[in-house]
Amino acid sequence: MTRIAIFASGSGSNAEEITRYFSDQATVQIVLILTNNPQAGVIDRSRRGFGCGQHVPVVVFDRAAFRDTDRIIQLLTSLEVDLIVLAGFMWLVPAPLVQAFPGRIINIHPALLPKFGGKGMFGHHVHEAVVAARETESGITIHFVNEHYDEGQIIFQASCPVAPTDTPDDVAAKVHQLEYTHYPRVVGEVLATLPAR
Ligand code: GAR
């Protein structure tokens, strides 16, 4: 059995897509959702079983608890988590947590890194910046997580066109579609390459 923990800060639509994707795979289990946001939509989605009968436990933490990485590492280790998936998680992952799971934390960023990445570049801000810069394309980047925002080794990218008339909401919709199409599959591919714990 391969075990995944998902970190999410917001709506949780990617967490839902990933959970649904693996719901009929007996060898993969989403064991925990972790969020820094008590209002996060992902909590409600989990309560509703992500639309596929998967009621994954949710842990909510504040900044102090997140910085107390020993406790988080202990929790993830006790659940025998193989892979940590960031799905719309907006905080920097502390170095001890990165080091406790080398090559086992991945993130999705809603743009074509290295463009439009770094501190403050998350969620809708990214799409606003893409439109303001009059980019003709945007996309997604799936990458391993290191101690810096959006700088880990890139695993996969996919792009979509941005029309001159597109609003940030239009770009967000296109990018979300790319995320749903690719993130669950790429998570599966990363799982397949992980060495045994
Ligand atoms: C997604 O577009 C994801 O790429 C982005 O937040 C959104 C979360 O949507 N992540 C980041 O910006 C991370 N820096 P969701 O909560 O509906 O999955």
Side-chain angles (χ1 to χ4, degrees):
M1 174 69 75
T2 316
R3 295 159 176 270
I4 297 175
I6 299 179
F7 283 69
S9 300
S11 153
S13 66
N14 278 284
E16 178 151 327
E17 291 292 324
I18 292 165
T19 305
R20 292 171 80 123
Y21 181 85
F22 290 109
S23 62
D24 59 356
Q25 295 192 25
T27 55
V28 179
Q29 198 185 349
I30 315 299
V31 292
L32 191 64
I33 305 288
L34 300 101
T35 184
N36 59 304
N37 176 7
Q39 317 297 335
V42 72
I43 299 172
D44 217 43
R45 287 182 193 267
S46 186
R47 233 178 252 132
R48 286 186 273 112
F50 290 108
C52 61
Q54 299 280 312
H55 298 278
V56 183
V58 179
V59 166
V60 184
F61 52 81
D62 61 16
R63 210 170 268 279
F66 192 50
R67 287 213 184 105
D68 183 5
T69 42
D70 281 353
R71 282 185 52 200
I72 300 229
I73 292 168
Q74 209 172 25
L75 173 63
L76 296 168
T77 307
S78 69
L79 291 170
E80 299 179 348
V81 167
D82 297 288
L83 184 69
I84 295 171
V85 174
L86 309 187
F89 183 62
M90 305 310 181
W91 286 359
L92 185 66
V93 178
L97 182 50
V98 174
Q99 285 150 16
F101 288 86
R104 291 175 181 270
I105 310 180
I106 65 173
N107 180 45
I108 190 159
H109 186 76
L112 295 170
L113 292 174
K115 282 181 161 185
F116 304 104
K119 195 171 177 6
M121 273 294 167
F122 57 84
H124 212 67
H125 302 301
V126 177
H127 310 305
E128 286 164 9
V130 164
V131 168
R134 300 178 191 280
E135 293 290 310
T136 55
E137 64 168 8
S138 191
I140 59 168
T141 303
I142 299 168
H143 63 95
F144 287 108
V145 170
N146 67 14
E147 289 87 347
H148 309 284
Y149 280 111
D150 306 323
E151 284 186 18
Q153 185 199 329
I154 291 175
I155 302 165
F156 176 84
Q157 290 186 302
S159 61
C160 58
V162 175
T165 51
D166 277 353
T167 64
D169 280 348
D170 295 329
V171 179
K174 292 179 191 179
V175 166
H176 269 304
Q177 273 318 308
L178 284 179
E179 293 181 331
Y180 306 153
T181 301
H182 296 290
Y183 203 18
R185 175 183 59 76
V186 173
V187 169
E189 286 171 12
V190 171
L191 283 180
T193 65
L194 286 180
R197 279 290 243 178

